[in-house]
């Protein structure tokens, strides 16, 4: 389905999209040494231009605060000198990675002398829609450069000034290498353009929406272009009965508290009914200002059972402890709010995750290798963790340099998508006048 049909002969959007197609072809012909050099130049330009970028970001932050953006979402919007330095280092890491384009994956010669190769090629022109985090723009352009893809970028309105400043910084280097035509930014203010682009399958090869369920559902229902969804992160962590307390508590706090506004933050904690340190863990979370949504069994224990005395300093009337509703288990809070459920074992944990999970990140804390294997085989997620924070499901942490997002789809990538996940492959056949008999 397409909203606001456009006149393909006169609409300026078509000129922009056809220009991207031509620019992508030029980019795909850039030698690997040129890609490496361009990425290195971009990394240094980000630092050299940081004053202008941070000034634009400060204005976006001021507007976002006035609009009442939550603290967690404000954190996603913030750029600082340290974050720009990390961003620059990520671009450098991408530049130094092994080539992913024009690589021969397989080669064989038949008895008749015909040579068959399978070679990596770009996906083409990608329409990338992302929300809030302006650093994503730089990651996306860097990965597109490495993989030879053109890209139309659409960021969120709350980061429009920062995105413009970042793109202006990048564009100077892109012009120097003759590949500026491979990239364009769709103005955040005009939402109608998104629907129009989604109807242009002849110019766009892939759509990657990175954001909440509302964005992903809108894209899927308004286009016939292939979509790789980077959907919500309903991440779970299961604490088995034998999990060491000194390991569990830091993992849970890191997963939930460190940066609650990111997609790999913990949203639901499942605790085995026989794990003996439930009270201490819940108390630690409350002391870190986490609001708890407890299932009925745990809520009853806090109100009148074994956990009542342990949490006596946290009255049920303080606005920090509630009974979880059915809707809560389906909610990505992106805030200091956590669902907590009691389960009888790993089977019930797996069943709960199958019902409510979003195929993003699932973690088990346990010692028994049989239970660990049962969990890792039983859950369906783009990343499964064992005795590790949910926050390791990240392109930089997993050795990709950076990511364009975390795919919760399975075709053709599952999990963080780096440069290697932004290429496909084709067959090349070399003969000497060979004909098929």
């Amino acid at each position: 389905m397409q909203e606001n049909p456009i006149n393909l002969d006169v609409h300026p959007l078509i000129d922009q999209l056809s220009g991207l197609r031509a620019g992508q072809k030029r980019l795909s012909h850039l030698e690997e040494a040129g890609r490496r050099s361009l990425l290195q130049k971009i990394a240094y330009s980000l630092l050299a231009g940081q004053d202008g970028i941070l000034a634009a970001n400060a204005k976006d932050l001021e507007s976002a605060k006035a609009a009442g953006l939550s603290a967690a979402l404000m954190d996603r919007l913030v750029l600082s000198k340290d974050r720009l330095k990390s961003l620059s280092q990520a671009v450098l890491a991408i530049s130094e990675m092994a080539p992913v384009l024009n690589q021969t994956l397989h080669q064989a010669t038949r008895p008749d002398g015909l040579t068959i190769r399978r070679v990596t090629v770009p996906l083409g022109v990608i329409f990338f829609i992302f929300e809030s985090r302006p650093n994503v723009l730089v990651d996306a352009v860097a990965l597109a450069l490495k993989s030879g893809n053109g890209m139309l970028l659409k960021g969120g309105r709350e980061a429009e000034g920062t995105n413009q400043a970042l793109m202006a910084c990048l564009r100077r280097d892109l012009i120097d290498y003759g590949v500026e035509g491979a990239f364009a930014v769709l103005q955040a203010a005009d939402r109608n353009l998104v629907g129009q682009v989604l109807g242009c399958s002849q110019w766009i090869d892939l759509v990657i929406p990175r954001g909440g369920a509302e964005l992903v559902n809108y894209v899927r229902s308004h286009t016939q272009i292939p979509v790789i969804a980077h959907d919500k992160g309903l991440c779970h962590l299961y604490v088995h009965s034998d999990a060491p307390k000194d390991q569990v508590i830091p993992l849970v706090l890191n997963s939930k508290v460190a940066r609650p506004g990111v997609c790999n933050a913990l949203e639901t904690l499942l605790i085995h009914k026989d794990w003996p340190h439930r009270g201490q863990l819940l108390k630690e979370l409350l002391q870190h200002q986490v609001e708890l949504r407890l299932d009925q069994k745990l809520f009853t224990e806090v109100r009148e059972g074994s956990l009542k005395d342990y949490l006596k300093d946290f009255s049920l009337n303080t606005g920090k402890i509630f009974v979880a509703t059915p809707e809560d288990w389906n909610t990505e809070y992106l805030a200091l709010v956590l669902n907590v459920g009691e389960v009888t074992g790993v089977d019930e944990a797996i069943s709960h995750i199958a019902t409510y999970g979003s195929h993003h990140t699932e973690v088990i804390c346990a010692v028994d290798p049989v239970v660990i294997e049962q969990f890792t085989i039983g859950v369906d997620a783009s990343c499964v963790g064992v005795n590790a924070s949910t926050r390791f499901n990240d392109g930089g942490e997993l050795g990709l340099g950076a990511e364009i997002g975390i795919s919760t789809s399975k075709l053709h990538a599952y999990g963080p998508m780096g440069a290697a996940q932004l290429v496909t492959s084709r067959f090349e056949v070399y003969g000497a006048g060979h004909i098929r008999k």
Side-chain angles (χ1 to χ4, degrees), residues 86 89-90 93 97 133 139 254 258-259 262 264 383 388-403 406 416-418:
S86 296
Q89 291 171 341
M97 294 177 71
R133 297 170 63 181
D139 288 340
N254 182 257
R259 289 196 70 188
V262 294
N264 56 20
C383 181
S389 170
T390 61
R391 298 203 56 244
F392 282 110
N393 192 7
D394 172 85
E397 295 291 338
L398 297 179
L400 305 183
E403 67 186 35
I406 296 176
M417 291 182 65

Side-chain angles (χ1 to χ4, degrees), residues 132-199:
S132 298
R133 297 170 63 181
N135 62 292
V136 171
L137 181 145
V138 177
D139 288 340
V141 171
L143 292 169
L145 286 171
K146 184 72 174 180
S147 56
N149 291 289
M151 189 168 284
L152 178 63
L153 301 113
K154 165 67 169 67
R157 182 178 301 183
E158 67 280 359
E160 186 165 14
T162 310
N163 288 336
Q164 288 176 350
L166 286 168
M167 200 63 207
C169 181
L170 303 184
R171 187 172 288 113
R172 290 190 289 269
D173 296 328
L174 297 173
I175 290 171
D176 288 345
Y177 283 75
V179 295
E180 73 280 3
F183 299 92
V185 176
L186 203 63
Q187 293 302 309
D190 194 344
R191 294 185 177 181
N192 289 331
L193 285 177
V194 172
Q196 293 174 351
V197 173
L198 293 175

Side-chain angles (χ1 to χ4, degrees), residues 295-312:
D295 70 3
Q296 189 60 59
K297 289 177 289 187
L298 281 173
F299 187 82
T300 299
E301 285 190 63
V302 170
R303 183 176 58 187
E304 56 192 39
S306 61
L307 299 179
K308 180 179 180 180
D309 290 338
Y310 208 96
L311 299 181
K312 61 184 178 181

Side-chain angles (χ1 to χ4, degrees), residues 201-369:
S201 58
Q202 67 272 54
W203 302 111
I204 301 293
D205 298 295
L206 176 69
V207 184
I208 300 179
R210 174 172 171 168
E214 183 179 353
L215 169 64
V216 172
N217 292 336
Y218 174 84
V219 169
R220 281 175 167 158
S221 63
H222 286 78
T223 192
Q224 295 180 349
I225 303 169
V227 176
I228 297 181
H230 295 235
D231 208 341
K232 60 186 177 181
L234 283 175
C235 305
H236 298 75
L237 188 151
Y238 166 57
V239 179
H240 192 56
S241 57
D242 64 355
K245 177 189 70 173
D246 292 343
Q247 189 176 89
V248 168
I249 292 177
L251 287 182
V252 171
L253 292 177
N254 182 257
S255 297
K256 179 72 246 184
V257 177
R259 289 196 70 188
V262 294
C263 64
N264 56 20
L266 179 64
E267 300 292 9
T268 294
L269 174 66
L270 302 173
I271 307 176
H272 193 287
K273 66 181 182 61
D274 295 329
W275 193 63
H277 311 291
R278 292 174 299 163
Q280 184 172 348
L281 175 55
L282 295 179
K283 187 173 183 178
E284 289 277 358
L285 286 163
L286 290 165
Q287 287 174 337
H288 282 81
Q289 306 305 310
V290 178
E291 178 184 304
L292 301 179
R293 307 285 177 90
L294 307 180
D295 70 3
Q296 189 60 59
K297 289 177 289 187
L298 281 173
F299 187 82
T300 299
E301 285 190 63
V302 170
R303 183 176 58 187
E304 56 192 39
S306 61
L307 299 179
K308 180 179 180 180
D309 290 338
Y310 208 96
L311 299 181
K312 61 184 178 181
D313 295 334
F314 298 93
S315 165
L316 299 183
N317 299 318
T318 60
K320 286 293 182 182
I321 304 175
F322 300 90
V323 177
T325 68
E327 182 182 356
D328 288 334
W329 304 109
N330 281 309
T331 300
E332 182 186 26
Y333 295 111
L334 300 174
L336 287 175
V337 182
L338 181 66
N339 302 319
V340 187
E342 180 181 287
V343 294
T344 57
V346 66
D347 286 331
E348 188 177 351
I350 292 170
S351 177
H352 182 101
I353 292 168
T355 302
Y356 298 105
S358 61
H359 307 287
H360 197 288
T361 309
E362 311 298 356
V363 168
I364 181 172
C365 292
V367 174
D368 187 339

Side-chain angles (χ1 to χ4, degrees), residues 416-428:
M417 291 182 65
Q421 288 72 45
L422 293 175
V423 296
T424 185
S425 62
R426 70 178 182 189
F427 285 102
E428 295 180 355

Side-chain angles (χ1 to χ4, degrees), residues 5-16:
I6 55 180
N7 184 332
L8 300 184
D9 295 324
V10 300
H11 198 285
L13 176 61
I14 298 304
D15 291 336
Q16 185 179 43

